[in-house]
Amino acid sequence: MFVDDQRYKRGNKIYRRVLLRHGYRENGKVKLKTIANLSHCSDLEIEAIKLALKEKENIQVLKNLANGNYETGKAVGGVAVLLAAIKALGIDKALGSTREALLVIWLIMSRLLGQGSRLSAVRLANDHAVCEILGLEPFNEDDLYKAMDWLCMNKDRVEKNLFQDSELSKEHLFLYDITSSYLEGEKNEYAQYGYNRDGKKGKKQIVYGLLTNKDGEPVCIEVFPGNTSDCKTFEAQIHALKDRFKCKDITIVGDKGIIKRVGIEYLEKVGFSYITSITKEQIRSMSRKERVQLGLFDDSLMEVVDGSERFIMRRNPVVASSQSRKREAKINAIREMLERSNQYLSEHKRALVEVQLRKITDKIGHYGLEKIIKIEVDEECRSLSMVVDGEMLMRAQELDGVYAIKTNIKKSDMSAEEIHVRYKDLQNIERAFRIQKSKTIEVRPIYVRKAERTIGHLEIVMLAYKVERYLSRCWRELNITVREGIHRLCRLVSNIITIGEEKLITVGDPDSECAHLLNLADAIVPKVLPYRACDVNTKKKLNLNRKID
């Protein structure tokens, strides 16, 4: 049954004919039977009949719309698009369908919706239709902590499932790098003082390593105590690829701080290849042994073969120019500081020369110029003078912009140009760390203490980054960040209709912008959701603990 709405012209007049018709087949031919002539009905009445026929499968919704009381419900758009991304990546399948797995899915979503602690994730669930869409029962922060414990126990299984069920299992080249993240408090079981890459002084930290494919798609993540050196984290990744993921004929790319002699020996023992870099001192040592001539370095690649090892070398002219300018600026800064110190000593007769000397020496050490600049003291004149070692300055300039890539891959397997490109792919991991530490995901600060929950937190961060990468690809044609897109979709909210004691949740049509975001991500927002009396509350009674002015 349908409404046949036609307009036709006779003479100079336009007429409208509206018929309620029923279509059927008779002897293989389509025939129409007119049930009623609706031409005399008003436009609103005709539209109402059309709507009733269109939504005949959801007639209860129409009744509720006609007779119910309305109130604004929770946000739906953000949860819907994140769930679509999680399903597209197979994360839901890898996690399973248990209550703990569903709570982990919410923790992944909450990293992208609002970040913060598990306590804040509970409060955030009151603003988003997570219980209604995922089918969750009420939960509190203790349930989320238990879900993190469960994820830690199932971490290897989840990563293995994601690896085997994706294109990652066909990869033969992987990237590895590490970073650190500071902690709030000092009771975390991984907490140690170490080299803080966040620049957060006085904070204990953890170290974590990320393994990705060449495009930066995460494979697995490992957590280490905060004082673990870079190279000591490397062996865990080799074991992950060899034992957990059953990989063969693999090449691992890492920087010079991670893949060192011991790591190289272990790689060669298990039959893996590597691509790494060497330090400037190692380059200088090769120059002293006349294996390379630094003066021949230019913008083009130069290759040196030494036994089973290949060295691909290049001088980046842009970096060389930048390093030279920075060094000159530092030397000028020391010179200006010296002039101010001499002026101060001349104006203050009781000032100690040793104090000014110490300040300048400390600054020279801070700039790393102690081999180039020497400070001489004239006790009689109470003045300081600077001597620049020209030979040492030239030695430093020789290595400006110079870098060397080291590998054991045969020439027949990979050209120098491709090895150079693959090493540059490490910037994809740098992007991962940058996004994870940004407002989009916020890996730091870490509020948990137990080791298994720290591991669970980092695993959730890695999975959230996979979702961010997926949505970034979906929305790459738009001038919008993933964080902005999710927040805009949160404008799509549900409506709660109450009829007597019955309640129903409906979702209206998204505006054009939200509809476009949803379509690009292949996300579908349900029109009707079952009402669940599941107001999520924190176990801690925060209001009772707040001070009253």
Side-chain angles (χ1 to χ4, degrees):
M1 187 180 296
F2 67 98
V3 175
D4 185 1
D5 190 349
Q6 302 288 337
R7 283 179 168 80
Y8 58 93
K9 185 176 182 180
R10 285 186 179 176
N12 295 325
K13 290 187 177 182
I14 296 176
Y15 298 91
R16 185 186 186 190
R17 184 208 66 192
V18 185
L19 302 176
L20 181 63
R21 287 186 160 182
H22 172 64
Y24 64 96
R25 286 183 178 272
E26 187 175 289
N27 298 325
K29 294 183 179 181
V30 176
K31 293 190 175 182
L32 298 175
K33 179 180 180 181
T34 301
I35 298 173
N37 189 339
L38 306 178
S39 302
H40 62 284
C41 296
S42 66
D43 291 345
L44 290 176
E45 290 171 334
I46 292 171
E47 290 300 318
I49 295 172
K50 287 182 179 180
L51 178 62
L53 291 174
K54 182 180 179 181
E55 300 293 340
K56 59 186 176 184
E57 301 295 332
N58 297 314
I59 194 65
Q60 186 61 41
V61 176
L62 297 178
K63 290 180 180 179
N64 291 337
L65 289 172
N67 304 316
N69 296 321
Y70 303 87
E71 60 179 299
T72 302
K74 300 175 182 178
V76 176
V79 175
V81 77
L82 291 173
L83 182 60
I86 287 170
K87 289 184 175 180
L89 293 167
I91 295 175
D92 61 326
K93 183 180 176 182
L95 289 170
S97 57
T98 63
R99 173 175 167 80
E100 289 82 5
L102 294 176
L103 289 173
V104 169
I105 288 177
W106 168 239
L107 285 170
I108 296 169
M109 292 179 174
S110 66
R111 299 313 306 173
L112 293 158
L113 286 169
Q115 302 90 38
S117 64
R118 266 45 60 183
L119 195 65
S120 66
V122 173
R123 296 196 294 267
L124 191 66
N126 282 317
D127 299 327
H128 298 271
V130 56
C131 291
E132 292 79 2
I133 291 179
L134 294 182
L136 275 169
E137 297 298 327
F139 58 87
N140 57 36
E141 61 270 25
D142 285 350
D143 296 316
L144 296 183
Y145 284 124
K146 291 176 183 177
M148 294 174 71
D149 296 339
W150 174 88
L151 180 59
C152 176
M153 293 175 58
N154 292 272
K155 173 181 176 295
D156 290 353
R157 176 184 64 82
V158 171
E159 291 177 346
K160 185 177 179 181
N161 289 343
L162 286 172
F163 183 84
Q164 293 178 340
D165 295 340
S166 67
E167 295 296 317
L168 292 171
S169 59
K170 301 177 183 178
E171 299 278 355
H172 291 280
L173 187 140
F174 295 92
L175 314 176
Y176 178 65
D177 203 355
I178 70 165
T179 188
S180 61
S181 184
Y182 68 86
L183 301 161
E184 291 295 339
E186 299 184 351
K187 301 299 182 181
N188 187 285
E189 294 177 7
Y190 281 113
Q192 294 289 341
Y193 290 109
Y195 172 59
N196 197 303
R197 296 164 180 83
D198 299 331
K200 201 79 173 179
K201 295 182 179 180
K203 296 279 188 181
K204 287 187 176 181
Q205 64 175 22
I206 65 166
V207 168
Y208 66 95
L210 185 65
L211 186 74
T212 76
N213 72 348
K214 64 179 183 297
D215 298 320
E217 183 68 26
V219 175
C220 65
I221 195 166
E222 301 292 339
V223 186
F224 307 94
N227 59 353
T228 307
S229 63
D230 296 10
C231 58
K232 289 184 179 179
T233 70
F234 185 53
E235 191 171 323
Q237 306 308 316
I238 302 175
H239 281 301
L241 288 169
K242 179 177 177 292
D243 301 329
R244 194 191 315 168
F245 303 129
K246 307 299 181 184
C247 293
K248 297 179 180 179
D249 301 324
I250 293 300
T251 298
I252 301 182
V253 185
D255 66 23
K256 55 183 172 290
I258 291 175
I259 304 181
K260 293 187 175 181
R261 180 178 56 81
V262 175
I264 289 174
E265 291 174 355
Y266 192 78
L267 279 171
E268 293 176 339
K269 181 180 178 181
V270 299
F272 288 179
S273 302
Y274 64 87
I275 298 175
T276 186
S277 59
I278 61 176
T279 65
K280 289 192 174 183
E281 286 303 317
Q282 288 173 312
I283 297 174
R284 194 182 297 281
S285 175
M286 292 177 68
S287 175
R288 285 197 297 265
K289 295 176 183 178
E290 298 183 352
R291 290 159 65 185
V292 297
Q293 295 183 34
L294 297 178
L296 298 179
F297 278 50
D298 56 18
D299 190 29
S300 59
L301 296 177
M302 184 177 71
E303 183 172 351
V304 176
V305 179
D306 184 9
S308 62
E309 295 178 337
R310 297 167 62 194
F311 298 89
I312 292 90
M313 304 183 179
R314 177 176 179 255
R315 184 190 299 273
N316 188 322
V318 176
V319 175
S321 178
S322 174
Q323 290 178 345
S324 179
R325 288 197 307 271
K326 288 180 179 179
R327 185 184 299 107
E328 189 63 32
K330 291 177 181 178
I331 293 173
N332 290 334
I334 297 296
R335 187 176 285 112
E336 292 173 1
M337 184 178 181
L338 188 71
E339 291 175 357
R340 291 194 300 270
S341 295
N342 284 333
Q343 183 178 355
Y344 180 82
L345 289 171
S346 65
E347 294 174 353
H348 300 78
K349 299 302 182 182
R350 299 179 64 181
L352 297 177
V353 176
E354 293 79 5
V355 173
Q356 299 301 314
L357 176 62
R358 185 173 64 251
K359 289 181 179 179
I360 296 175
T361 303
D362 290 345
K363 181 62 71 174
I364 291 173
H366 178 72
Y367 284 157
L369 300 174
E370 57 272 12
K371 292 183 179 180
I372 298 174
I373 297 177
K374 302 298 180 183
I375 303 298
E376 296 181 350
V377 180
D378 188 335
E379 295 289 351
E380 184 177 349
C381 298
R382 286 173 48 82
S383 65
L384 306 172
S385 60
M386 183 176 76
V387 177
V388 177
D389 190 327
E391 182 179 350
M392 295 303 296
L393 180 60
M394 288 182 62
R395 282 170 59 86
Q397 290 172 342
E398 280 182 336
L399 294 175
D400 282 348
V402 172
Y403 60 92
I405 300 169
K406 176 182 176 181
T407 182
N408 64 343
I409 301 175
K410 297 178 181 178
K411 281 188 176 183
S412 57
D413 294 333
M414 192 177 294
S415 66
E417 289 76 13
E418 188 176 355
I419 289 172
H420 182 259
V421 171
R422 294 287 77 86
Y423 183 77
K424 292 295 184 182
D425 285 338
L426 281 174
Q427 63 185 343
N428 293 327
I429 292 193
E430 293 174 2
R431 179 192 183 274
F433 290 148
R434 190 164 57 250
I435 295 296
Q436 289 171 6
K437 293 183 178 184
S438 70
K439 290 293 183 181
T440 303
I441 297 177
E442 264 190 5
V443 63
R444 59 187 184 188
I446 298 173
Y447 296 98
V448 294
R449 293 186 296 174
K450 294 184 177 180
E452 57 270 21
R453 291 175 184 172
T454 307
I455 295 171
H457 172 72
L458 268 296
E459 185 72 12
I460 288 165
V461 166
M462 187 194 78
L463 295 175
Y465 177 65
K466 290 176 75 74
V467 173
E468 191 275 343
R469 276 177 52 86
Y470 175 83
L471 292 177
S472 179
R473 293 193 297 270
C474 291
W475 296 338
R476 60 179 173 268
E477 66 182 54
L478 306 178
N479 185 24
I480 190 174
T481 66
V482 171
R483 186 165 181 253
E484 290 169 344
I486 293 172
H487 285 181
R488 290 184 188 182
L489 285 171
C490 290
R491 297 182 304 190
L492 182 59
V493 298
S494 61
N495 296 302
I496 302 175
I497 305 171
T498 305
I499 303 175
E501 296 182 355
E502 297 294 327
K503 290 188 176 184
L504 182 70
I505 299 177
T506 63
V507 183
D509 293 332
D511 59 33
S512 59
E513 184 181 21
C514 289
H516 191 42
L517 290 169
L518 291 168
N519 289 335
L520 290 174
D522 290 328
I524 299 175
V525 178
K527 291 292 184 182
V528 182
L529 289 169
Y531 179 80
R532 302 176 69 89
C534 57
D535 287 334
V536 181
N537 293 304
T538 61
K539 186 178 178 181
K540 296 180 179 180
K541 306 300 182 182
L542 298 181
N543 288 330
L544 299 179
N545 296 329
R546 289 185 176 131
K547 294 181 180 180
I548 300 177
D549 294 334

